[in-house]
Amino acid sequence: MPKNIFLFCILLMLAGCSHLSVKHLSSNPLSFDQEEHLQMRYWHFSYVSQVENDYYLVKGTGYPRQESLPGWGKWMHNLWISAYLSDDEGRVVARDLKVYPTQELDPDNGVPLEFRLKPEKMPASEDIFVTFGYRMQLTESRYSDPRTQRPLTGEKSVFFASEKALTR
């Protein structure tokens, strides 16, 4: 039993040292009241950052990059998009998440974004960065359930795309 308590204490200490990191993702310095653009592997984000009361508001549009996605993918399932604020080391200081219903892929109009980010503690350096994370599944049909597709049958099934913060 004392051995288990010791291991549990070590795990708690390690968990306290871990943090979310977006260092591996493209990011922009936080700027206010001007349109910014951020291109990622499967999405392009156009947004404006503002200060509202005691939080940062990031508002804009996310556009799926059709040239990076399979041509047969017409419907987005299980789509979520996150906005992150990070320090110059990529440590996440604030994040917000938006989940979207199943919808048709629309690279021209994209999906609306609105995130409220409230850092618990601002980083020591004054450099703050904005980035986004996302996860989605594409199918040919609106009524395809990505969880039940069988990719080994030779049928077109599901395309999965994801970029997000990592625990370090």
Side-chain angles (χ1 to χ4, degrees):
M1 189 65 141
K3 185 177 181 181
N4 290 340
I5 292 172
F6 177 73
L7 289 175
F8 181 72
C9 289
I10 297 240
L11 286 174
L12 280 178
M13 286 189 331
L14 289 175
C17 297
S18 68
H19 65 275
L20 283 178
S21 174
V22 292
K23 190 172 187 168
H24 61 289
L25 299 177
S26 299
S27 63
N28 285 334
L30 180 63
S31 62
F32 298 107
D33 300 319
Q34 65 184 27
E35 188 171 14
E36 296 286 340
H37 298 274
L38 184 62
Q39 183 138 326
M40 300 185 80
R41 188 168 182 186
Y42 297 108
W43 283 83
H44 174 86
F45 298 97
S46 175
Y47 64 95
V48 174
S49 301
Q50 299 172 322
V51 176
E52 295 265 330
N53 297 321
D54 61 343
Y55 59 86
Y56 297 101
L57 177 67
V58 176
K59 198 171 183 179
T61 307
Y63 300 95
R65 294 183 56 212
Q66 184 110 16
E67 71 276 9
S68 299
L69 300 170
W72 53 261
K74 303 293 183 215
W75 288 89
M76 296 184 294
H77 302 266
N78 304 317
L79 171 64
W80 63 255
I81 299 176
S82 286
Y84 303 102
L85 292 181
S86 65
D87 64 13
D88 55 357
E89 296 292 318
R91 292 175 195 252
V92 173
V93 296
R95 65 182 171 162
D96 193 12
L97 169 78
K98 181 164 175 125
V99 179
Y100 298 83
T102 295
Q103 59 189 286
E104 193 167 8
L105 184 71
D106 187 353
D108 295 327
N109 295 313
V111 295
L113 307 172
E114 186 169 326
F115 300 101
R116 287 173 171 69
L117 302 153
K118 185 175 179 180
E120 289 182 25
K121 185 171 80 172
M122 290 304 282
S125 93
E126 294 189 16
D127 296 328
I128 304 291
F129 296 87
V130 175
T131 191
F132 298 92
Y134 57 86
R135 180 183 189 280
M136 72 171 181
Q137 295 169 315
L138 285 179
T139 63
E140 284 183 286
S141 167
R142 176 182 190 156
Y143 300 106
S144 296
D145 184 351
R147 296 170 296 176
T148 61
Q149 293 290 324
R150 293 184 181 88
L152 299 178
T153 63
E155 299 172 13
K156 291 178 184 165
S157 57
V158 177
F159 178 81
F160 178 78
S162 177
E163 287 186 277
K164 60 184 179 176
L166 300 175
T167 303
R168 300 203 181 223

